[in-house]
Amino acid sequence: MRRRRLLFSALLLLPVIACSVPDGSAVVTPTLPTTSGFPYVAEVMEHRCGTLDCHGTVARNLRVYGDEGLRFAASDRPCVPAATTDTEVGQDYDSVVGLEPEEMSAVVAGHGANPDQLSMIAKPLGIESHMGGTVFSVGDDTYTCLTSWLSSATDTAACLRAMPSMICGVAPTSAFDAGVLDAAPD
Amino acid sequence: MRRAARATVLGAVLIATGCDPVVSNEINALGGEAPGVRRGPLHRPGQPCLLCHDGALGDPPAFSVAGTVFNDPVDLGGADGVIVSLTDNNGIPYMATTNTAGNFYVTPDQWSPAFPLKVIIIGANTERIMQSEIGRDGACASCHVNPAGPSSPGVVCLTTVDGGTPP
């Protein structure tokens, strides 16, 4: 008898729950990760994630622009010009921070703790299902590059080690040496 | 009982062969076979081979990597006898050679690579190194289509019209 009453109460509650709507005035103010050092992160992501058959396509979440793959300017094409533009770095930043803003805020607010709660870390680690399979491992240079950025202390040396020696026929370090990519995205 | 078993088998087959509408639309967009070219190693140069050669039930033989090498991006003549040198993420190499249509294909039995892949094409007097890696799609034409633009480096070719290096 008591169970029936409980069930009846639950059934009465269901429409109330189903008809509730989110608070329209609620505003999420994300805690964004630093833009400092992000050009290094972007260059690594372009190489590891942004090939034209993976995230270098407009049809996929976490769209990644860059010199090797998808270009932002209509007049550009892969490897022409042979350097990622500031605009592309800015677009990559927006892609990354806009993917899961609440989770990203939590990780950044926690100074980079528990980065694998982000899909951008969990998927390439193989913790979550990923069409591109396992891309990097805990502790390797790519992992260190990305997670150090999330903790606001980008390990640029790890990022450089995670890049190939040549990208589009040019040493990636030359872009940073020349200051081409040092500007933080707007 | 027998009827139920038949229905179950039929349902399973239908599910297994059920078409992904996105893939179906992409295949339909490729159009029919070119006149005078029958289905086989020489057909459909420049098209994304793995759309059909994906190993699905009822489809043609599966390919792990396949594509077409053209002489140049304008006349689109197939480059015959080009060596396509592939190396997978574990450093395991495989070499394929293009046929008279410029097509090459590798079956999973021959080579089932771990992505990403590095590619070099080697012609009689030319060697071209692919500037980026192949992330996960073994069909060259999924990315390499004409015209070149922000999302494509153009078709795979040995030479460019202006004599420059293809990306």
Side-chain angles (χ1 to χ4, degrees):
Chain A
M1 188 64 184
R2 197 176 165 193
R3 191 181 288 176
R4 269 192 192 169
R5 217 177 279 164
L6 271 173
L7 185 65
F8 184 69
S9 304
L11 282 173
L12 278 179
L13 267 174
L14 275 176
V16 177
I17 296 167
C19 294
S20 63
V21 291
D23 179 3
S25 63
V27 175
V28 175
T29 307
T31 306
L32 296 176
T34 176
T35 54
S36 173
F38 183 75
Y40 289 84
V41 176
E43 198 67 36
V44 170
M45 289 188 68
E46 287 155 21
H47 180 68
R48 303 306 303 269
C49 321
T51 53
L52 289 168
D53 56 346
C54 293
H55 289 277
T57 173
V58 294
R60 191 156 288 125
N61 282 339
L62 189 63
R63 186 186 305 172
V64 176
Y65 290 96
D67 47 6
E68 285 182 88
L70 182 66
R71 306 313 301 259
F72 186 74
S75 57
D76 292 349
R77 57 191 176 97
C79 286
V80 184
T84 302
T85 64
D86 286 343
T87 304
E88 289 168 338
V89 173
Q91 291 291 327
D92 292 344
Y93 182 84
D94 290 348
S95 283
V96 171
V97 301
L99 188 64
E100 297 166 311
E102 289 88 353
E103 283 80 1
M104 177 67 82
S105 292
V107 170
V108 173
H111 306 288
N114 305 316
D116 58 8
Q117 73 186 79
L118 295 170
S119 294
M120 65 172 282
I121 302 294
K123 281 177 174 280
L125 278 179
I127 296 171
E128 284 180 21
S129 173
H130 185 216
M131 280 289 281
T134 302
V135 179
F136 54 75
S137 314
V138 173
D140 73 11
D141 287 328
T142 302
Y143 177 88
T144 304
C145 174
L146 268 57
T147 55
S148 63
W149 170 66
L150 292 168
S151 68
S152 304
T154 311
D155 186 338
T156 55
C159 297
L160 287 171
R161 285 195 302 272
M163 297 174 201
S165 56
M166 302 287 269
I167 295 176
C168 295
V170 179
T173 48
S174 63
F176 295 103
D177 291 345
V180 174
L181 287 174
D182 278 347
D186 296 328
Chain B
M1 188 65 184
R2 206 170 163 188
R3 188 177 291 175
R6 271 189 195 158
T8 307
V9 170
L10 181 64
V13 169
L14 281 174
I15 290 168
T17 58
C19 293
D20 177 338
V22 175
V23 175
S24 294
N25 289 341
E26 289 179 5
I27 291 171
N28 290 337
L30 297 177
E33 299 289 343
V37 182
R38 64 187 187 92
R39 291 176 68 176
L42 303 178
H43 83 148
R44 298 180 178 273
Q47 295 193 354
C49 315
L50 272 70
L51 263 184
C52 297
H53 291 269
D54 61 352
L57 192 63
D59 281 358
F63 295 157
S64 48
V65 185
T68 308
V69 181
F70 294 100
N71 285 313
D72 74 60
V74 175
D75 81 3
L76 294 181
D80 187 9
V82 174
I83 295 169
V84 182
S85 173
L86 306 148
T87 306
D88 83 351
N89 196 42
N90 296 324
I92 299 172
Y94 189 86
M95 284 200 195
T97 305
T98 59
N99 58 27
T100 53
N103 291 343
F104 75 93
Y105 48 94
V106 183
T107 64
D109 290 346
Q110 294 169 317
W111 193 56
S112 191
F115 287 86
L117 313 181
K118 292 183 171 68
V119 186
I120 303 173
I121 56 173
I122 305 160
N125 305 305
T126 328
E127 180 177 297
R128 302 292 189 207
I129 300 170
M130 185 168 163
Q131 299 292 325
S132 61
E133 296 176 351
I134 298 172
R136 67 184 175 90
D137 190 334
C140 304
S142 294
C143 303
H144 285 273
V145 292
N146 267 349
S151 60
S152 172
V155 294
V156 181
C157 53
L158 275 175
T159 57
T160 59
V161 174
D162 62 4
T165 304

